[in-house]
């Protein structure tokens, strides 16, 4: 034991005191557990130190080394921690290079002779301050991680709630479509049944009539056949009467036309007819609002085409969501082409509509102008319409429009606002767009959110054409 230093008792794999060391054929010693883990990871029986491959899967235990390591552990546990293990001297200094306490003998030894040292009494408070600062950073990081974990847990819950709500609304919409189809089926089957009943009734009358003719004619034939079987004088005596009977006043059966079921009417282009009729109950809006970008005080219609101010909702603070303004973006952005949509602003006292670029600030307060990424017009205090230029431009109008069309020409850098009632231009922005642009909608504040005025994307007229 005395001939071995602490370094001699360190496993080259785990750098700890040997625990059941085994001897490899190359002469290196490794902890048994460390070796097994290394071999499992490596997939072969190489020495972790030199790479020599062992022929045996069970190298022998180095018993003398194990005994020495065990004795060292016992001795170390019984020693004073403040005493140098190599020189049995009190640890009075701190080596700044190796960052460990040493004794006076260690300071003049070869290992530490060229190192910078200071008294342990000076080093301890200094290093405690250093570690305390790092500990505080760790605590802050732990706080951040814990807060993020909580937010993510809330987001996970919200995702499930969101999915459940979407599922319910999808089922509701399909229920409406199913109801339409069921009613259409009933109507068409009823029309078919009515035609069947009418035409069957006509045929029944005609059949009853022809049956009566058949009975009359059959009776006449029987009487004439009986007269023909009579002898000469009786036949001649009944001749005049028989002659009258053989005069047939029954007309040939009529040709009954258009009496069959009009299958072409009921089955021809059946799906197309239903689809065309369905256009009356289906609406299409050119812009769908994205609730994942919306401020928590905004509420939407089921098909996400109408937004209004509401009571605050518990929503995740995801990166896309606005927290600084009562606004929401359209779900689809544009990087080219011409696009237009009409907004019904109604009797609202305050609102802003237009377009915004994708990179606008969503968590911090910003100005509604092109420099900040907004090309919008808005109504303030219910009576003044403004174009949100760098210095807001007042728009003089006899009457505030209730429906406004926004036209975006991305390639030409134009955003035009048009009064939908008379097609007059309210204002036009001219700029150059370099990133994705989104429709922008902002409602005003309302003291009583239940009476808030909505912003609604007007649906387009749907036409089913055949070419």
């Amino acid at each position: 034991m005395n001939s071995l230093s602490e370094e001699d008792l360190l496993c080259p794999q785990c750098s700890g005191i040997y625990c059941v060391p085994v001897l490899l054929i190359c002469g290196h010693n490794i902890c048994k557990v460390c070796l097994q883990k290394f071999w499992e990871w490596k997939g072969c029986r190489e020495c972790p130190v030199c790479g020599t491959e062992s022929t045996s899967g069970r190298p022998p235990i180095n018993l003398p080394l194990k005994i020495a390591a065990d004795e060292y552990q016992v001795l170390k546990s019984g020693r004073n921690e403040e005493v140098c293990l190599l020189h049995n001297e009190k640890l009075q200094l701190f080596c700044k290079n190796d960052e460990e306490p040493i004794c006076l003998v260690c300071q003049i030894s070869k290992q530490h002779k060229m190192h910078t040292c200071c008294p342990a009494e000076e080093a301890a408070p200094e290093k405690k301050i250093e570690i305390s600062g790092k500990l505080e950073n760790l605590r802050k990081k732990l706080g951040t991680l814990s807060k993020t974990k909580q937010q993510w847990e809330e987001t996970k819950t919200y995702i499930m709630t969101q999915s459940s709500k979407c599922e319910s609304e999808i089922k509701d919409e399909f229920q409406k479509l199913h109801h339409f189809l069921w009613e259409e089926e009933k109507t068409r089957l009823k029309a078919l049944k009515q035609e069947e009943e009418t035409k069957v009734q006509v045929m029944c009358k005609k059949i009853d009539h022809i049956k009566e003719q058949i009975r009359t004619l059959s009776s006449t034939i029987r009487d004439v056949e009986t007269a023909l079987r009579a002898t000469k004088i009786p036949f001649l005596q009944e001749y005049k009467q028989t002659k009258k009977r053989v005069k047939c006043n029954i007309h040939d059966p009529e040709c009954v036309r258009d009496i069959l079921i009009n299958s072409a009417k009921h089955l021809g282009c059946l799906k197309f007819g239903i689809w065309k009729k369905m256009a009356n109950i289906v609406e299409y809006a050119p812009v769908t609002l994205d609730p994942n970008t919306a401020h928590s005080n905004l509420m939407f219609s089921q098909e996400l085409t109408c937004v209004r101010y509401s009571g605050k909702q518990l929503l995740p603070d995801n990166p896309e969501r606005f927290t600084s303004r009562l606004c929401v973006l359209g779900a689809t952005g544009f990087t080219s082409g011409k696009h237009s949509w009409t907004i019904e602003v109604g009797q609202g006292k305050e609102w802003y509509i237009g377009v915004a670029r994708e990179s606008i600030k969503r968590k911090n307060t910003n100005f509604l102008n092109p420099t900040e990424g907004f090309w919008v017009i808005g109504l303030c205090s219910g009576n003044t319409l403004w174009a949100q230029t760098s210095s807001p431009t007042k728009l003089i109008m006899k009457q505030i429009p209730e429906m406004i069309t926004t036209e975006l020409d991305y390639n030409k850098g134009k955003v035009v606002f048009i009064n939908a009632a008379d097609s007059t231009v309210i204002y036009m922005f001219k700029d150059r767009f370099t990133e994705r642009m989104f429709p922008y909608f902002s409602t005003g504040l309302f003291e009583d959110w239940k009476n808030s005025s909505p912003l609604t994307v007007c649906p387009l007229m749907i036409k089913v054409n055949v070419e």
Side-chain angles (χ1 to χ4, degrees):
M1 171 62 195
N2 293 334
S3 61
L4 295 176
S5 66
E6 182 180 0
E7 292 183 359
D8 296 328
L9 300 176
L10 297 179
C11 171
Q13 184 67 9
C14 66
S15 301
I17 302 299
Y18 281 118
C19 178
V20 190
V22 293
L23 181 61
L24 300 177
I25 58 173
C26 58
H28 291 111
N29 293 285
I30 310 290
C31 291
K32 183 178 181 180
V33 174
C34 295
L35 183 64
Q36 291 299 328
K37 288 182 179 179
F38 178 79
W39 282 358
E40 289 175 5
W41 171 78
K42 191 72 173 178
C44 62
R45 297 172 181 173
E46 291 183 357
C47 171
V49 179
C50 65
T52 302
E53 190 165 348
S54 297
T55 56
S56 172
R58 300 183 64 182
I61 296 174
N62 189 334
L63 191 57
L65 185 58
K66 180 181 182 306
I67 294 172
D70 292 345
E71 289 179 352
Y72 180 81
Q73 290 280 34
V74 172
L75 181 61
K76 184 177 179 181
S77 62
R79 283 184 175 179
N80 186 344
E81 292 184 355
E82 296 187 1
V83 175
C84 177
L85 296 178
L86 297 175
H87 308 106
N88 204 25
E89 294 287 336
K90 189 175 180 180
L91 299 172
Q92 298 179 356
L93 303 174
F94 181 77
C95 177
K96 292 184 177 182
N97 296 73
D98 292 339
E99 296 186 325
E100 63 180 7
I102 60 174
C103 67
L104 294 173
V105 179
C106 289
Q107 184 187 20
I108 61 176
S109 66
K110 183 179 180 181
Q111 184 178 355
H112 298 281
K113 187 175 182 179
M114 303 302 294
H115 291 176
T116 302
C117 301
C118 67
E121 288 78 4
E122 294 180 7
E126 179 185 333
K127 296 303 178 183
K128 283 185 178 181
I129 293 173
E130 176 190 335
I131 296 300
S132 295
K134 293 181 179 179
L135 178 61
E136 187 60 30
N137 290 335
L138 293 178
R139 285 175 178 156
K140 288 180 180 179
K141 184 170 287 188
L142 177 61
T144 301
L145 293 175
S146 299
K147 184 179 180 180
T148 303
K149 175 181 172 293
Q150 181 181 354
Q151 290 175 342
W152 286 359
E153 290 286 352
E154 292 172 356
T155 300
K156 182 191 75 173
T157 302
Y158 180 74
I159 288 171
M160 293 187 289
T161 303
Q162 205 177 17
S163 175
S164 177
K165 183 180 178 183
C166 286
E167 180 182 349
S168 175
E169 292 178 353
I170 288 171
K171 288 182 177 179
D172 184 48
E173 286 300 314
F174 271 94
Q175 185 64 33
K176 291 176 184 176
L177 294 174
H178 292 158
H179 179 73
F180 168 81
L181 292 174
W182 288 330
E183 289 298 318
E184 186 67 18
E185 179 185 0
K186 285 168 59 178
T187 300
R188 288 175 178 268
L189 290 177
K190 183 178 179 181
L192 174 62
K193 200 66 179 176
Q194 286 177 343
E195 183 180 355
E196 177 196 353
E197 290 174 356
T198 300
K199 292 187 174 180
V200 167
Q201 189 175 9
V202 169
M203 291 308 299
C204 285
K205 289 181 180 180
K206 291 185 179 297
I207 290 170
D208 289 341
H209 178 67
I210 204 169
K211 281 181 179 179
E212 184 61 30
Q213 289 180 319
I214 290 171
R215 281 195 297 270
T216 300
L217 190 57
S218 297
S219 177
T220 299
I221 291 171
R222 284 195 300 272
D223 291 343
V224 172
E225 287 175 343
T226 301
L228 289 172
R229 286 195 295 269
T231 58
K232 296 177 182 178
I233 298 303
F235 170 75
L236 294 174
Q237 290 174 336
E238 295 293 329
Y239 171 72
K240 288 182 179 180
Q241 188 67 30
T242 303
K243 187 177 179 180
K244 290 179 181 179
R245 288 180 178 176
V246 295
K247 286 183 179 179
C248 183
N249 296 322
I250 298 175
H251 300 289
D252 290 336
E254 66 175 300
C255 180
V256 184
R257 296 182 179 278
D258 297 325
I259 195 64
L260 300 181
I261 294 295
N262 189 348
S263 301
K265 171 188 171 183
H266 298 289
L267 300 178
C269 298
L270 177 60
K271 290 189 284 292
F272 176 79
I274 296 172
W275 177 42
K276 189 172 182 179
K277 193 172 181 181
M278 191 177 287
N280 297 325
I281 67 166
V282 175
E283 291 186 344
Y284 171 75
V287 171
T288 300
L289 306 178
D290 183 0
N292 292 338
T293 66
H295 190 278
S296 57
N297 278 94
L298 296 181
M299 180 171 60
F300 300 88
S301 62
Q302 183 170 327
E303 291 197 340
L304 304 176
T305 56
C306 179
V307 58
R308 67 193 311 154
Y309 180 79
S310 73
K312 190 173 180 64
Q313 305 168 79
L314 292 175
L315 302 175
D317 187 18
N318 49 299
E320 302 85 2
R321 191 175 306 284
F322 285 94
T323 56
S324 60
R325 286 189 176 274
L326 288 165
C327 61
V328 61
L329 297 181
T332 303
F334 310 110
T335 56
S336 63
K338 296 180 180 180
H339 311 275
S340 70
W341 55 92
T342 300
I343 306 299
E344 183 178 350
V345 296
Q347 301 295 324
K349 302 297 182 183
E350 182 178 346
W351 46 259
Y352 296 94
I353 60 173
V355 298
R357 64 187 177 210
E358 187 172 19
S359 63
I360 53 176
K361 297 176 182 177
R362 308 192 185 202
K363 308 299 181 184
N364 303 322
T365 304
N366 45 24
F367 295 100
L368 286 177
N369 59 51
T371 303
E372 298 286 341
F374 299 88
W375 291 262
V376 302
I377 63 171
L379 184 67
C380 298
S381 304
N383 54 19
T384 309
L385 196 61
W386 297 85
Q388 298 299 312
T389 50
S390 297
S391 296
T393 303
K394 188 174 182 179
L395 305 176
I396 307 300
M397 300 193 71
K398 292 181 180 179
Q399 186 176 357
I400 303 299
E402 292 190 8
M403 296 177 66
I404 299 175
T405 299
T406 304
E407 292 186 350
L408 167 66
D409 189 332
Y410 189 99
N411 297 338
K412 291 185 177 180
K414 291 182 180 180
V415 181
V416 185
F417 298 91
I418 300 170
N419 185 347
D422 57 15
S423 299
T424 57
V425 175
I426 300 172
Y427 190 79
M428 180 176 71
F429 286 95
K430 190 74 173 71
D431 214 322
R432 189 172 72 89
F433 305 133
T434 57
E435 59 179 275
R436 192 178 301 274
M437 305 295 288
F438 286 84
Y440 177 88
F441 309 86
S442 177
T443 65
L445 287 166
F446 292 82
E447 292 183 4
D448 181 7
W449 64 267
K450 293 181 180 178
N451 295 320
S452 61
S453 182
L455 296 176
T456 304
V457 181
C458 298
L460 299 178
M461 182 179 293
I462 297 176
K463 292 182 180 181
V464 180
N465 297 323
V466 179
E467 295 183 357

